[in-house]
C-alpha cells in the first residue's frame, strides 16, 4: 500500500510536470508564430517597395536578443544562411544585420546623424542602469556629454599617462603569483598557474576606475568591488525578455525591482561621496569635473552614474575578454610569441614609447586578437535618419547592427586609447618576465573553453607562468 501511494504521487508529479511543459511549449510555439506574423507585417523595419528581407523567426519571449550576445559566434554563422543583410528581433523591435564592408560603408556615410536605440533595445530594466550613458545618448545631448568626459580619455591625455600605465602594469605582473591556483611552496622562481579571467580581471577594472576617480584607497577599492558584484548580479535580468523589458516589472517581480533600486541608490551615493572626498583633497580628477557640470545643470546625475557604469561595470567583462584573449592567442602561437619577445627586448629601455606606437608587432598582435575574438559579433545598434538601400532591401530609419572593433564613423569608443595602452602594457611585462603557456587551450579542432557566466565570450583557460631568468 505504501509503495502504491508513493508510486501514485510520483506518477502524478511526473504527469503534472509533463503537462506543464507541454502546455508551455505549445503556448510558446503558438505565441512565437503569431507574434512573428504580426511583427513581420506591421513592424518589419523594411519598406514593401524593396526586396523582401529574410531572417530567423521571432521566438518567445525575446526574439533573438539573448542568442546574439550569449552565442553570437555560432549564431552568426548559422544566420548567414539568410544572406549578407538579414533581420533579427530584439523583443518586438527589428534589427537589421550588416555583414559586409560595402554595406557598413553605405550605412555610415551619414554617421554624424545616427541615433541610438532607446535603452539599447534591452528594455526598461537595462535603462535604469545604462539608458542615459554617453554611449546611448543622441545628437546634442551626446555632444554635451562627450565634451564633459572626453578630456581625460582623448589620445593626448592617455599618452601623457603612459608612465603610470607602464608602472601599474609592471607592478601587477610582478605580483601575479598572488593569484596562483596553488600557492603551496611557491617561490619567485617556481612555475605557477593562474586562471586567466580571475587573475587579470581586476587590473583593467581598477586601472579604469583610477582614471576617473584618481588614486583610490583600499577601502574605496573594496566598496567599488562590492558594487561590481552587486551590479553583476543584475545582469541576468537584462536578457529575460517579456515583462522584464517593461516598467511593469515593478509589480510583477518586486524582489528583482528592489534589488535594482538598492544598487542604483548605492551607486549614486558612492560617486557623490568620492567626488566630495576628492574636492576636499583638492584633486583635479574627472569625477570632480563631472559633478561640477552636474551642479551647474549641464548634465544629470543619471548621465554621470550611467556613464561611469558603462566605463566600469558594463565593460568589466569586455576588458577581461580583450586582455585574456590577447594573452591566450599570443601564448598559443609560438613563432609570433618569440617574435614579440624579441621586439620587447629591443625596446626594453623605453617601454613607455613602445607601448604607444601603432606600427609594432605588439600592436598588430593586439589588433589581430580583436579580429579573431571580437567582443561580440553584434554591436549595439544605430539608426539612420533616412531610408537605406542594402542590395535592394529598403530599410526604414530603424535599428541595424554592424561588426566593429571600437566603432565606425562619428561615434568611436571613448575608451579605445586607454584600453589599447592598458592591454599592451600588460602584454609587454607579462611576456618579458615570464614564459607563458596555456594549460587547457585548444585541443585538435575543438575551440577554447568559454566562460558561460558572462555576456561576452571570455576565455576560460588556465595560464602557466614560469619566471624568465
Amino acid at each position: 500500500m505504501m509503495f502504491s501511494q508513493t508510486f501514485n504521487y510520483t506518477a502524478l508529479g511526473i504527469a503534472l510536470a509533463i503537462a506543464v511543459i507541454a502546455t508551455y511549449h505549445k503556448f510558446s510555439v503558438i505565441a512565437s508564430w503569431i507574434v512573428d506574423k504580426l511583427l513581420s507585417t506591421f513592424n518589419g523595419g523594411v519598406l514593401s517597395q524593396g526586396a523582401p528581407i529574410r531572417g530567423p523567426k521571432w521566438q518567445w519571449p525575446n526574439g533573438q536578443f539573448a542568442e546574439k550576445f550569449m552565442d553570437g559566434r555560432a549564431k552568426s554563422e548559422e544566420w548567414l544562411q539568410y544572406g549578407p543583410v538579414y533581420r533579427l528581433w530584439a523583443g518586438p523591435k527589428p534589427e537589421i544585420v550588416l555583414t559586409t564592408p560595402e554595406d557598413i560603408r553605405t550605412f555610415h556615410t551619414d554617421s554624424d546623424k545616427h541615433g541610438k536605440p532607446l535603452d539599447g533595445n534591452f528594455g526598461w530594466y537595462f535603462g535604469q542602469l545604462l539608458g542615459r550613458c554617453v554611449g546611448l545618448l543622441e545628437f546634442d545631448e551626446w555632444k554635451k556629454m562627450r565634451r564633459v568626459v572626453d578630456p581625460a580619455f582623448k589620445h593626448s591625455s592617455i599618452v601623457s599617462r603612459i608612465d603610470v600605465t607602464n608602472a601599474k602594469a609592471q607592478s601587477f605582473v610582478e605580483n601575479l603569483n598572488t593569484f596562483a591556483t596553488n600557492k603551496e611552496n611557491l617561490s619567485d622562481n617556481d612555475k605557477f598557474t593562474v586562471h586567466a579571467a580571475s587573475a587579470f580581471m581586476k587590473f583593467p577594472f581598477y586601472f579604469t576606475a583610477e582614471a576617473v576617480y584618481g588614486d583610490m584607497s583600499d577601502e574605496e577599492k573594496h566598496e567599488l568591488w562590492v558594487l561590481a558584484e552587486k551590479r553583476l548580479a543584475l545582469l541576468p535580468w537584462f536578457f529575460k525578455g517579456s515583462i522584464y523589458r517593461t516598467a511593469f516589472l515593478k509589480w510583477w517581480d518586486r524582489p528583482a525591482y528592489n534589488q535594482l533600486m538598492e544598487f542604483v541608490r548605492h551607486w549614486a551615493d558612492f560617486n557623490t561621496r568620492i567626488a566630495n572626498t576628492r574636492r576636499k583633497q583638492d584633486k583635479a580628477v574627472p569625477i570632480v569635473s563631472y559633478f561640477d557640470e552636474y551642479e551647474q545643470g549641464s548634465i544629470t546625475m543619471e548621465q554621470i552614474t550611467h556613464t561611469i557604469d558603462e566605463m566600469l561595470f558594463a565593460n568589466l567583462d569586455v576588458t577581461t575578454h580583450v586582455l585574456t584573449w590577447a594573452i591566450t592567442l599570443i601564448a598559443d602561437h609560438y613563432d609570433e610569441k618569440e617574435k614579440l619577445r624579441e621586439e620587447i627586448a629591443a625596446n626594453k629601455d623605453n617601454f613607455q614609447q613602445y607601448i604607444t606606437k601603432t606600427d609594432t608587432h605588439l600592436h598588430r598582435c593586439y589588433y589581430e586578437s580583436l579580429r579573431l575574438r571580437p567582443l561580440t559579433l553584434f554591436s549595439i545598434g544605430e539608426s539612420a535618419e533616412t531610408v537605406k538601400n542594402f542590395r535592394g532591401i529598403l530599410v526604414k530609419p530603424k535599428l541595424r547592427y554592424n561588426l566593429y572593433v571600437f566603432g565606425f564613423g562619428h561615434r568611436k569608443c571613448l575608451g579605445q586609447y586607454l584600453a589599447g595602452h592598458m592591454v599592451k602594457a600588460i602584454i609587454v611585462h607579462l611576456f618579458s618576465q615570464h614564459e607563458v603557456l596555456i594549460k587547457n587551450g585548444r585541443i585538435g579542432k575543438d575551440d577554447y573553453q568559454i566562460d558561460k557566466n558572462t555576456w561576452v565570450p571570455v576565455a576560460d583557460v588556465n595560464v602557466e607562468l614560469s619566471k624568465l631568468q
Side-chain angles (χ1 to χ4, degrees):
M1 187 67 175
M2 179 65 73
F3 176 81
S4 177
Q5 284 184 325
T6 303
F7 174 80
N8 287 339
Y9 281 123
T10 303
L12 178 61
I14 293 173
L16 286 172
I18 292 173
V20 169
I21 293 171
T23 301
Y24 175 78
H25 178 70
K26 185 176 181 180
F27 168 75
S28 64
V29 170
I30 294 172
S32 296
W33 184 84
I34 294 173
V35 173
D36 180 71
K37 292 299 181 184
L38 289 172
L39 291 176
S40 298
T41 302
F42 298 107
N43 190 35
V46 297
L47 297 176
S48 58
Q49 298 94 318
I53 191 167
R54 302 169 64 207
K57 295 185 181 300
W58 189 90
Q59 295 177 345
W60 179 269
N62 212 15
Q64 288 76 40
F65 191 70
E67 288 178 300
K68 72 184 181 188
F69 287 110
M70 302 301 189
D71 196 21
R73 195 176 187 87
K75 288 299 179 181
S76 68
E77 295 179 5
E78 175 187 329
W79 292 335
L80 279 176
Q81 66 180 291
Y82 301 113
V85 179
Y86 59 91
R87 179 179 59 203
L88 300 179
W89 297 100
K93 297 181 180 180
E95 295 176 339
I96 309 303
V97 181
L98 307 179
T99 64
T100 68
E102 294 78 14
D103 290 325
I104 293 173
R105 189 180 301 113
T106 297
F107 177 60
H108 280 283
T109 53
D110 56 354
S111 63
D112 60 320
K113 299 180 178 65
H114 286 188
K116 287 285 186 175
L118 178 65
D119 298 335
N121 258 2
F122 281 78
W124 181 87
Y125 196 95
F126 171 95
Q128 306 311 298
L129 299 169
L130 286 161
R132 307 302 297 158
C133 71
V134 66
L136 292 180
L137 296 179
E138 296 182 305
F139 310 121
D140 289 344
E141 197 174 21
W142 174 77
K143 291 177 182 177
K144 183 185 294 185
M145 194 63 190
R146 283 296 296 246
R147 176 185 61 78
V148 173
V149 297
D150 269 4
F153 293 94
K154 62 184 180 181
H155 183 258
S156 59
S157 298
I158 300 304
V159 170
S160 70
R161 296 184 73 246
I162 192 61
D163 56 334
V164 176
T165 305
N166 182 59
K168 287 185 178 294
Q170 180 177 357
S171 175
F172 179 82
V173 171
E174 288 173 350
N175 290 283
L176 263 175
N177 58 8
T178 60
F179 296 97
T181 53
N182 183 357
K183 298 181 181 179
E184 295 180 6
N185 302 319
L186 186 66
S187 69
D188 288 341
N189 295 320
D190 286 337
K191 292 181 181 179
F192 61 95
T193 300
V194 299
H195 181 257
S198 301
F200 290 97
M201 177 182 290
K202 287 188 178 182
F203 176 77
F205 179 71
Y206 287 128
F207 183 81
T208 305
E210 292 194 324
V212 176
Y213 299 130
D215 291 337
M216 301 179 71
S217 67
D218 290 342
E219 292 78 11
E220 290 169 341
K221 287 182 178 180
H222 174 72
E223 184 177 3
L224 184 60
W225 188 253
V226 169
L227 276 160
E229 292 176 327
K230 288 183 177 181
R231 172 64 169 74
L232 186 62
L234 302 177
L235 184 62
W237 308 115
F238 289 7
F239 300 97
K240 290 280 284 186
S242 185
I243 202 166
Y244 289 87
R245 298 179 64 89
T246 75
F248 290 110
L249 167 70
K250 297 178 185 179
W251 299 280
W252 177 262
D253 191 339
R254 199 67 186 179
Y257 174 73
N258 290 339
Q259 186 179 359
L260 169 67
M261 289 298 105
E262 192 278 330
F263 171 82
V264 168
R265 287 189 292 269
H266 189 177
W267 182 226
D269 176 67
F270 175 82
N271 281 283
T272 302
R273 283 187 283 111
I274 290 284
N276 290 335
T277 298
R278 297 298 181 266
R279 281 173 172 166
K280 292 176 182 177
Q281 295 169 338
D282 198 25
K283 291 185 176 180
V285 292
I287 188 64
V288 173
S289 65
Y290 300 169
F291 271 78
D292 287 344
E293 295 283 349
Y294 163 65
E295 290 166 3
Q296 293 166 15
S298 300
I299 60 176
T300 67
M301 176 63 78
E302 276 191 338
Q303 287 173 342
I304 293 175
T305 57
H306 289 200
T307 295
I308 302 177
D309 184 310
E310 180 185 19
M311 294 176 184
L312 298 180
F313 304 138
N315 280 331
L316 179 56
D317 288 337
V318 170
T319 51
T320 303
H321 165 99
V322 172
L323 182 54
T324 55
W325 276 119
I327 293 168
T328 299
L329 293 173
I330 292 171
D332 256 3
H333 290 80
Y334 180 81
D335 290 344
E336 302 305 320
K337 178 171 63 174
E338 290 306 303
K339 183 178 178 181
L340 175 62
R341 187 168 280 140
E342 290 175 5
E343 185 183 75
I344 291 172
N347 287 274
K348 64 181 180 179
D349 294 329
N350 196 357
F351 277 163
Q352 289 94 327
Q353 183 179 359
Y354 173 53
I355 291 166
T356 63
K357 288 183 176 180
T358 58
D359 60 350
T360 61
H361 188 57
L362 168 65
H363 190 78
R364 288 189 289 272
C365 285
Y366 167 53
Y367 258 61
E368 181 67 358
S369 70
L370 289 173
R371 185 187 71 83
L372 293 172
R373 297 289 170 165
L375 311 177
T376 172
L377 272 292
F378 301 90
S379 68
I380 299 296
E382 295 182 17
S383 59
E385 292 291 296
T386 59
V387 172
K388 293 286 185 176
N389 186 335
F390 301 109
R391 304 167 190 268
I393 299 170
L394 302 180
V395 180
K396 296 178 181 179
K398 297 290 183 181
L399 306 184
R400 63 224 63 204
Y401 269 53
N402 54 275
L403 303 182
Y404 76 116
V405 175
F406 288 115
F408 288 104
H410 192 64
R411 297 180 60 130
K412 294 260 182 136
C413 173
L414 176 68
Q416 60 176 311
Y417 303 119
L418 181 76
H421 289 183
M422 175 176 62
V423 172
K424 289 192 289 183
I426 287 289
I427 291 172
V428 164
H429 289 286
L430 183 68
F431 285 89
S432 64
Q433 293 183 34
H434 297 279
E435 179 57 62
V436 184
L437 298 174
I438 305 302
K439 295 296 291 181
N440 57 329
R442 190 191 299 270
I443 301 174
K445 293 184 179 180
D446 294 336
D447 204 355
Y448 295 92
Q449 292 293 319
I450 302 297
D451 188 340
K452 301 295 185 181
N453 297 314
T454 62
W455 69 276
V456 293
V458 174
D460 187 12
V461 299
N462 291 316
V463 183
E464 182 183 88
L465 301 172
S466 303
K467 192 77 172 178
L468 294 173
Q469 300 301 319

